[in-house]
Amino acid sequence: MTWRPGVVFPITILISSIYVVADTYNGRFGMDDIAYNPVWYPRILLFTLLALSTFLAVRGLIKAESKQQGIRLSALLSSVALTALFLLSYEHLGFVYSALLLFALLPAALGYRKPIGILATSALYVLIIWYGFHYGLNATPPGTALPTF
Amino acid sequence: MDILTATLELLVNPATLALIVLGVAGGTILGALPGVGSILGITMVLPLTFVLSTESSLGLLLGIYAGSVFGGSISAILINTPGTPQSAITLFDGYPMAQAGNGALAIGWAAVASTVGGVIATLIFLLAAPMLASVGLLFGPIEFFALGVFALTCLAVVSKEHLAKGVVAALIGLILATVGQDPMSGYARLTFDSFELAAGIGLLPLLVGLFALSEVFDRASSVTARENAPAADRKDRMQLPKLGDIWRRRAVLIKSSVIGTGIGILPGIGAVAASTVSYAEAKRSSVNRADFGSGEPDGVIASEASNNAVTSGAMIPTLSLGIPGDPITAIMLGALAIQGVTPGPQFFSNNAGLGFFIFAALVLSCLLIIPVAALVTPVFSRILRIPEPLLLTCIVVLIGAGTYSVNSSGFDLLVTLLAGIFGLIMRKNHYPLAPLVIGFVLGPLIERSLRQGLVLTEGSFVEFLSSPIASGFFLVTALFLLFPLLGRVRWLARRRLKGAESNP
């Protein structure tokens, strides 16, 4: 079985470009002089991107690439998922709880399972960052789980 | 004279001074950690610069830049693993020196060479600035457009990957820059009726996501227990070479610094190429050439002087033309844009004070390398023991806190996450990231210049060629694009000829 990862990305760009180009023809924009038409310049870029992504997709079909070695897919997917959880819950849970949740899950998902090390690092680091942002940068992170003096 | 006094006042401001010292120390530590390096270091602290003044944030970033380039040599010398790609050549002679019991001296040579390389390059930068400032005054919209296209082409062409992939990355950056309000008509475009997108995509979340977060994901996919990394000797320290020895090796020091500056000025080539070329030249011209590769200090000097000279050299096209020399200066360009400073041909005429401050901060950062190295080297083995999963978690927390603190916007965190995932996909498919960022940074300038140029020429593209500067840039751009294609045609013709000869 030949590995052709080079096709998926250009095709994704191609489909996205078609979608965005279509949006520029939704009738909201008039047929002003090119210098004043807001979508004239993005269209040039999008059409060039369409042509190049088509070229790369065809090239990817013709030319097989060697399969990438040494990727730990489970570690990659869990790091993306847990980072997404942290960033998307940041505003709702507040800095302290979302960061502690990340410390509880991400190191373990990446193979580090020393609870005392994780606990000590997370407590110290969260405190440093919170107080550093609150006092040093005058930008208090969301949530007020830590006492202020 | 007023500018000089004002710059010195800014530089000796305790807060600015402390940030430069912090930057060099932090950069040295980050550079010494294999795989972390300059890019991650600079993007990680980028959100923090929002609350700082332009000078303080530039001092911090330049300190990290100079420190991290040097820091890579510590791990190259002590554990045979370059902390940054720029220091890969240093290990050829640095590690054999450490094995022979001269590791402390090798770090001393690396620190001296990094300092001298950085200072010489900054002096060249200082001499070039007035000339660049006078050239900048000749630029109008058409010239700016031609320059912007040339800058993007340079970066796409010299990116190590396929030319088309570099151009695709640059186009994506240019398109992302058009999201939001049109600068000339005020219409919202490519927003898909999203309220948040109407204000455009923020440069900072894009930069942090593309470079720092995607790096975290990339490292997570190949994470190894840091405990298994070769441990450095707890008694490691730095020993400075004697002044007489430094004087004896001045030719290699100066030559490598000049080579590094020259290569740094060329867009997109970078420090790895500079240290390779300097090493090859030092070996060719040295009377001790037989000792290269087995612990010759000239090898360490050549590599370190040139890779630190690139730091200042690369700032020349970055500030004077808006063309970054490497991905790190691409991020610096973004950092300047975040601070409301637009690098380009008129940078030195419009921002003489800031330009002078950058020179001074670079020189100071380079001079700080020696004392910082003396402090960091003894604790290096402890730094190296930080388990990678914990390090990556700390980086993600800092990215989240830093990005959110700028606008208190959850949307910025979403952009960071999406940019991180997109950056990871680009890395895995061998698409360069730097052209995307440069496309995004230069996008507004290119679009505005093009459309203003069209207004001036009443819609005629042919009139663009009437400007000698613009014509020159267009010509060089065309040559840059055609060169790889011509090379490919020649290669195919040669292969066909060989095939015909072997099958008569």
Side-chain angles (χ1 to χ4, degrees):
Chain A
M1 179 84 180
T2 319
W3 176 248
R4 288 193 169 87
V7 182
V8 182
F9 189 57
I11 286 181
T12 312
I13 297 173
L14 184 68
I15 294 167
S16 313
S17 311
I18 292 169
Y19 180 70
V20 181
V21 167
D23 184 65
T24 67
Y25 285 99
N26 63 10
R28 269 185 301 180
F29 307 108
M31 298 298 286
D32 295 325
D33 182 60
I34 51 173
Y36 294 99
N37 187 335
V39 288
W40 170 77
Y41 170 75
R43 270 182 202 152
I44 295 174
L45 300 174
L46 284 161
F47 279 117
T48 318
L49 188 62
L50 273 171
L52 275 173
S53 50
T54 309
F55 164 74
L56 284 170
V58 173
R59 188 174 163 271
L61 272 174
I62 296 166
K63 198 176 157 191
E65 286 182 26
S66 58
K67 193 166 183 169
Q68 294 196 5
Q69 300 290 321
I71 295 178
R72 288 175 58 203
L73 200 62
S74 60
L76 174 65
L77 293 177
S78 52
S79 68
V80 174
L82 292 171
T83 303
L85 178 71
F86 165 67
L87 294 176
L88 300 178
S89 67
Y90 189 84
E91 260 191 326
H92 309 288
L93 290 180
F95 168 72
V96 175
Y97 293 119
S98 57
L100 288 176
L101 187 66
L102 186 74
F103 268 106
L105 300 174
L106 187 55
L110 296 180
Y112 183 77
R113 294 187 180 94
K114 291 182 179 171
I116 298 190
I118 294 173
L119 203 66
T121 312
S122 58
L124 193 69
Y125 192 71
V126 167
L127 275 173
I128 292 171
I129 296 287
W130 203 91
Y131 284 110
F133 273 80
H134 181 72
Y135 290 110
L137 301 174
N138 202 19
T140 311
T144 49
L146 293 178
T148 49
F149 303 107
Chain B
M1 202 58 180
D2 288 345
I3 291 174
L4 186 71
T5 318
T7 305
L8 288 176
E9 272 176 19
L10 277 170
L11 206 63
V12 296
N13 175 298
T16 310
L17 204 59
L19 283 167
I20 295 175
V21 176
L22 196 72
V24 177
T28 305
I29 293 169
L30 290 172
L33 287 171
V36 178
S38 320
I39 295 178
L40 191 57
I42 291 174
T43 39
M44 233 163 51
V45 300
L46 211 50
L48 314 185
T49 61
F50 253 94
V51 291
L52 303 172
S53 68
T54 307
E55 288 81 10
S56 298
S57 53
L58 279 175
L60 177 68
L61 295 171
L62 289 169
I64 294 175
Y65 188 11
S68 60
V69 174
F70 160 72
S73 68
I74 299 179
S75 48
I77 291 166
L78 297 180
I79 61 166
N80 201 23
T81 308
T84 55
Q86 297 98 310
S87 299
I89 302 294
T90 308
L91 66 81
F92 289 170
D93 286 280
Y95 187 60
M97 280 182 80
Q99 279 182 313
N102 295 322
L105 185 62
I107 294 174
W109 273 119
V112 169
S114 298
T115 302
V116 174
V119 171
I120 288 179
T122 311
L123 291 177
I124 295 173
F125 178 10
L126 189 60
L127 292 172
M131 194 182 72
L132 295 167
S134 58
V135 172
L137 297 173
L138 304 171
F139 276 63
I142 294 171
E143 288 78 13
F144 271 119
F145 171 67
L147 172 65
V149 174
F150 170 67
L152 277 179
T153 311
C154 275
L155 230 78
V157 169
V158 298
S159 55
K160 291 181 191 102
E161 316 299 342
H162 194 268
L163 168 66
K165 289 183 177 179
V167 178
V168 162
L171 282 168
I172 294 172
L174 288 170
I175 291 165
L176 288 176
T178 63
V179 173
Q181 230 175 22
D182 170 36
M184 290 183 83
S185 67
Y187 277 110
R189 54 186 180 173
L190 312 186
T191 59
F192 303 96
D193 299 323
S194 156
F195 172 72
E196 283 89 354
L197 281 179
I201 296 169
L203 174 60
L204 183 104
L206 187 78
L207 268 178
V208 173
L210 269 179
F211 285 98
L213 203 55
S214 73
E215 178 71 32
V216 169
F217 294 153
D218 199 26
R219 285 167 66 97
S221 70
S222 56
V223 74
T224 50
R226 180 55 66 78
E227 291 90 348
N228 295 339
D233 186 352
R234 264 177 184 275
K235 291 171 194 153
D236 281 322
R237 60 194 172 84
M238 186 185 78
Q239 181 195 336
L240 280 176
K242 289 180 185 134
L243 277 176
D245 289 341
I246 297 172
W247 181 248
R248 260 198 302 280
R249 295 179 194 274
R250 66 189 183 280
V252 186
L253 265 169
I254 294 168
K255 193 161 56 179
S256 305
S257 305
V258 173
I259 290 174
T261 313
I263 291 180
I265 293 170
L266 300 172
I269 311 282
V272 181
S275 55
T276 312
V277 172
S278 293
Y279 187 83
E281 171 53 26
K283 190 176 176 180
R284 188 198 64 79
S285 57
S286 174
V287 286
N288 305 323
R289 66 176 72 98
D291 297 333
F292 271 68
S294 54
E296 168 58 42
D298 277 358
V300 176
I301 294 169
S303 169
E304 285 303 308
S306 63
N307 68 24
N308 266 77
V310 168
T311 314
S312 303
M315 291 304 286
I316 300 174
T318 306
L319 294 178
S320 59
L321 296 176
I323 305 174
D326 53 21
I328 306 165
T329 36
I331 298 167
M332 292 293 290
L333 191 75
L336 283 164
I338 286 168
Q339 292 290 336
V341 180
T342 313
Q346 287 166 358
F347 175 81
F348 288 107
S349 44
N350 293 342
N351 306 281
L354 190 63
F356 207 77
F357 174 82
I358 292 172
F359 303 135
L362 271 170
V363 170
L364 184 63
S365 301
C366 294
L367 293 174
L368 282 167
I369 285 175
I370 293 175
V372 165
L375 291 171
V376 169
T377 310
V379 294
F380 174 67
S381 56
R382 262 175 255 173
I383 294 167
L384 206 63
R385 286 203 190 98
I386 301 171
E388 186 143 327
L390 273 184
L391 184 71
L392 295 180
T393 311
C394 291
I395 292 171
V396 173
V397 170
L398 186 61
I399 286 171
T403 309
Y404 185 83
S405 70
V406 176
N407 293 319
S408 298
S409 158
F411 183 70
D412 279 357
L413 292 178
L414 181 66
V415 172
T416 306
L417 176 67
L418 294 177
I421 296 170
F422 191 69
L424 175 76
I425 297 170
M426 285 183 73
R427 281 170 193 261
K428 294 293 181 197
N429 285 282
H430 310 293
Y431 282 73
L433 295 176
L436 194 156
V437 172
I438 300 310
F440 190 80
V441 172
L442 295 182
L445 172 87
I446 292 176
E447 181 182 7
R448 201 175 48 245
S449 312
L450 170 65
R451 290 168 70 183
Q452 282 175 350
L454 283 169
V455 171
L456 287 174
T457 61
E458 293 171 348
S460 165
F461 284 103
V462 182
E463 285 291 308
F464 276 50
L465 299 174
S466 61
S467 154
I469 296 174
S471 305
F473 277 122
F474 286 134
L475 184 69
V476 182
T477 305
L479 288 174
F480 260 56
L481 284 170
L482 287 173
F483 229 69
L485 295 176
L486 286 175
R488 178 97 182 141
V489 170
R490 274 180 63 187
W491 178 78
L492 282 172
R494 213 175 289 164
R495 205 172 71 159
R496 197 165 289 172
L497 199 69
K498 267 187 189 167
E501 279 171 4
S502 57
N503 302 311

